[in-house]
Amino acid sequence: MTNSIWQQGELIELTIADLSDTGDGVGRFQERVVFVPDTVPGDRALVRLVNVKPKYAHGKLKELLQPSPYRIRPSCIVADKCGGCQWQHIDYDYQLIAKRDQVIQALQRIGGFTAPSVDPVLVAHSPLDYRNKSTYPLDISTTGQVQAGYYQKGSHQLVNLNQCPVQDSRLNPLLAEVKQDIQQQGWTIYDENRHQGQIRHLSLRIGRRTGEVLLTLVVKDQDLPRITKQAEIWLKRYPQLVGVSLNYNPQRTNAIFGAETRCIAGVPYLRETFAGLEFQVRPDTFFQVSTETAEALLNVIQSQLQLQGDEVLVDAYCGIGTLTLPLAKQVRQAIGIELQAQSVQQAIANAERNSIHNVTFKVGAAEKLLPNMGIIPSVVILDPPRKGCDRAVIESLLLSKPERIVYVSCKVATLARDLKLLCEHDLYTIERIQPADFFPQTSHVEAAVFLVLSHFGKDT
C-alpha cells in the first residue's frame, strides 16, 4: 500500500484517529483528511477512496485490519445497513467522550473560544430502548409485502424492521403487526417518484411514564377506505393505544408531517408526566424523544439558575411549554413565545391542567416578538431548531441585556456561531457548558450553555 495514490477507487491503509460531527471516522493519508463511515478511532482499516477532493476524500470501509478497543458488536442485526443509527458499533462510554469533544471543537473552530470548559456529557437514562417516538417511511418489497423501517445510509432504499432497539420496546409489537394490517386492507403505499399512493409514514409515540400510545398514519389523500373500522380494531387489540390519527401531507416534500392531523378513533393526544407535571402531547407536536434525559437536563438548568421567585422569564422557543411550565413555578412571571399556533394552544391547555397561572403564551416568531415585548426579562431561555437563532433574536438580546441566558441547542455548529455573537465585546460570560446525550447511538449531541451578563452582580 506504500505506492497508493490520491485518486478515486484507490485502496489505502488508514488508521482512524477521530470522529466527525456527522459521525464518520476520520483518518489522514498523505496529509489529507479521509472520512470513513462505520469506523471507530483506533481502527486500522483498508479503505477505498470515493468522492476525492484536493484536500479531503470520503472513503468506504473494505476490510478491518485491526479493530479499535472501542469497537463493539451492535445490538441490532441490521445496524450496518440501517441509517437510523450511526454508532451502534462504538462503545457507549466512548460515544460520550466523542460528543464532548464535538462540543469543544465546535466552540473552538466556529465560536473562536480558547480552551472552553465543557462538563462531561450528561449520560442518557438508557443507551437503548429510549425513543418515545419513531416515524417510519413505508415501502413495498419486490414480493409485494408492506415494509416499514429506515433508509439505508446514503440512500432511499428501505431497511425493513419488525423491531428497533433504540425505540421504546413497548412499540415493537405495533410496528410488526400494523404493517400486516395495512397489507390486508389493500391500502397503497406512497411512491415519492410518481407522487402516487396513499400511506407515506407510520408514526408511533408513547408516554414513557404513562405507557399511553398514539398511532398515526401520514397519508397523501384524506380518503382512506375502512380506516375508522381498522382504527377501532387497533384500539381493542392494544390496551395501551389511546388514539389513532391521520395526518394529511399532500405535498411533494421531504417533510414527514403535513399541516392537518385528524383523530379517527380514541383521543388526539397522550398524557405524559414530565418534571412532576402532566402534559398532553399530540402526534405532530415537538416533544423531546428522550423523556428521562430531557428531564435530567431540566434539573441541571433549575440547579444552575437557582431561581428566587421574583424573576421574569422568557422562553423564546417554548413549544408546548415543556421547559416553560416547570420553570414558571419558580419565577414571578413567565412568557412563552412559539411560532406554531397549535403548540401554543397545547401550552395554554397544559398550563391550565397544572394550575399554573403566572404564564402567558404568545404566537409568533421570536425574532419579531422578542424585540417588542416592552420588558427586560431576568432570564431568557433559547431552545431553537437546528438552524439556531435568527440574527434578530441575538441582536435583541444584546440590546435588552437580560441578566442570564440559557441556550439549549441540538446542533453545536449553530450554537457556537450564536455564542460568538453573544459573547462579543465581553458583554456575556459563559458560566457553564453542559452537554447531554438525548440521542444515544448517533452523533447528535444536545448542550445547555449558561451565560451571565458580565457586570451582573458586580455592583450589588
Side-chain angles (χ1 to χ4, degrees):
M1 293 299 160
T2 54
N3 296 322
S4 296
I5 57 175
W6 188 254
Q7 66 180 24
Q8 186 158 321
E10 190 75 11
L11 280 172
I12 64 171
E13 284 188 15
L14 199 66
T15 298
I16 304 301
D18 202 356
L19 289 165
S20 72
D21 58 1
T22 58
D24 293 344
V26 181
R28 284 192 168 272
F29 178 77
Q30 296 178 352
E31 301 304 313
R32 298 176 175 100
V33 174
V34 184
F35 299 97
V36 189
D38 306 317
T39 58
V40 187
D43 280 346
R44 183 158 183 79
L46 191 63
V47 173
R48 187 175 301 281
L49 294 178
V50 295
N51 192 20
V52 175
K53 304 294 182 181
K55 293 186 178 180
Y56 71 92
H58 294 272
K60 184 176 182 180
L61 177 64
K62 298 302 292 182
E63 182 183 346
L64 193 61
L65 303 176
Q66 182 176 347
S68 164
Y70 308 117
R71 178 179 281 276
I72 62 170
R73 186 189 181 110
S75 300
C76 180
I77 59 173
V78 294
D80 60 331
K81 302 179 182 67
C82 179
C85 295
Q86 301 147 306
W87 281 3
Q88 280 207 29
H89 59 290
I90 301 178
D91 175 75
Y92 184 63
D93 287 340
Y94 192 81
Q95 290 185 35
L96 298 175
I97 293 170
K99 292 186 181 194
R100 180 174 179 270
D101 287 344
Q102 190 183 133
V103 176
I104 293 171
Q105 289 178 28
L107 291 171
Q108 289 176 332
R109 190 179 69 253
I110 301 170
F113 295 96
T114 304
S117 178
V118 177
D119 288 0
V121 176
L122 194 64
V123 179
H125 172 75
S126 171
L128 297 169
D129 186 32
Y130 68 88
R131 287 189 65 98
N132 60 35
K133 181 183 180 184
S134 294
T135 301
Y136 298 98
L138 302 180
D139 203 355
I140 294 291
S141 72
T142 53
T143 58
Q145 301 300 304
V146 173
Q147 296 181 315
Y150 291 118
Y151 292 121
Q152 288 185 25
K153 298 169 185 178
S155 81
H156 265 212
Q157 295 297 311
L158 199 74
V159 177
N160 188 45
L161 301 175
N162 286 320
Q163 61 180 2
C164 176
V166 297
Q167 79 170 9
D168 190 305
S169 58
R170 291 171 288 184
L171 297 175
N172 285 328
L174 281 79
L175 173 61
E177 294 167 10
V178 169
K179 287 188 296 183
Q180 298 176 12
D181 296 327
I182 293 172
Q183 181 93 32
Q184 290 174 358
Q185 287 289 350
W187 293 327
T188 57
I189 303 304
Y190 180 71
D191 183 322
E192 63 182 354
N193 293 320
R194 295 184 299 153
H195 193 50
Q196 293 178 354
Q198 294 167 305
I199 306 182
R200 302 172 70 130
H201 289 82
L202 165 65
S203 182
L204 302 172
R205 177 167 241 171
I206 187 167
R208 293 281 287 181
R209 272 64 180 269
T210 64
E212 293 187 353
V213 173
L214 295 176
L215 186 160
T216 305
L217 296 178
V218 181
V219 293
K220 175 176 171 286
D221 303 307
Q222 297 198 12
D223 182 26
L224 193 63
R226 304 174 299 283
I227 179 57
T228 302
K229 184 176 180 181
Q230 181 62 62
E232 295 292 350
I233 292 171
W234 285 330
L235 285 173
K236 289 178 182 177
R237 184 193 301 165
Y238 306 111
Q240 73 275 33
L241 183 64
V242 297
V244 177
S245 294
L246 290 183
N247 173 269
Y248 303 114
N249 185 355
Q251 306 298 320
R252 269 200 147 139
T253 174
N254 288 329
I256 294 174
F257 282 93
E260 183 184 353
T261 301
R262 180 165 62 94
C263 183
I264 299 300
V267 293
Y269 57 81
L270 61 78
R271 293 175 303 118
E272 179 61 303
T273 302
F274 182 84
L277 303 176
E278 183 181 295
F279 286 82
Q280 286 187 358
V281 183
R282 293 178 181 266
D284 54 355
T285 49
F286 178 77
F287 191 81
Q288 290 288 1
V289 299
S290 182
T291 308
E292 295 88 348
T293 312
E295 192 174 75
L297 185 60
L298 171 63
N299 291 337
V300 171
I301 292 171
Q302 291 173 318
S303 175
Q304 186 71 23
L305 286 178
Q306 289 293 304
L307 296 165
Q308 301 300 304
D310 59 349
E311 295 90 351
V312 175
L313 179 143
V314 172
D315 187 352
Y317 303 85
C318 69
I320 63 170
T322 315
L323 294 179
T324 326
L325 295 178
L327 293 172
K329 297 183 71 175
Q330 299 177 308
V331 301
R332 176 168 56 86
Q333 180 187 6
I335 301 166
I337 297 172
E338 170 58 42
L339 184 62
Q340 301 296 329
Q342 287 184 336
S343 292
V344 169
Q345 291 171 5
Q346 290 178 66
I348 292 170
N350 286 327
E352 292 174 352
R353 186 168 299 106
N354 292 283
S355 299
I356 299 173
H357 304 298
N358 64 332
V359 60
T360 303
F361 292 100
K362 299 177 181 293
V363 179
E367 56 268 25
K368 293 182 179 179
L369 294 183
L370 203 57
N372 300 303
M373 296 188 64
I375 61 168
I376 299 177
S378 318
V379 181
V380 172
I381 308 294
L382 302 173
D383 189 0
R386 291 176 61 81
K387 65 179 182 179
C389 292
D390 189 280
R391 182 66 179 258
V393 171
I394 302 296
E395 291 173 352
S396 172
L397 295 173
L398 294 175
L399 284 173
S400 62
K401 301 181 180 63
E403 294 162 358
R404 286 177 288 181
I405 298 171
V406 183
Y407 194 135
V408 182
S409 170
C410 58
K411 186 174 177 63
V412 293
T414 54
L415 170 68
R417 178 202 69 198
D418 292 346
L419 289 177
K420 182 178 182 179
L421 295 172
L422 287 167
C423 295
E424 223 168 15
H425 310 302
D426 298 322
L427 183 61
Y428 281 95
T429 303
I430 294 177
E431 280 189 319
R432 182 179 179 183
I433 304 168
Q434 177 63 70
D437 191 14
F438 283 20
F439 304 96
Q441 317 308 332
T442 79
S443 61
H444 299 298
V445 59
E446 201 93 1
V449 180
F450 300 87
L451 300 106
V452 61
L453 197 62
S454 294
H455 66 72
F456 176 56
K458 293 182 180 179
D459 301 326
T460 59

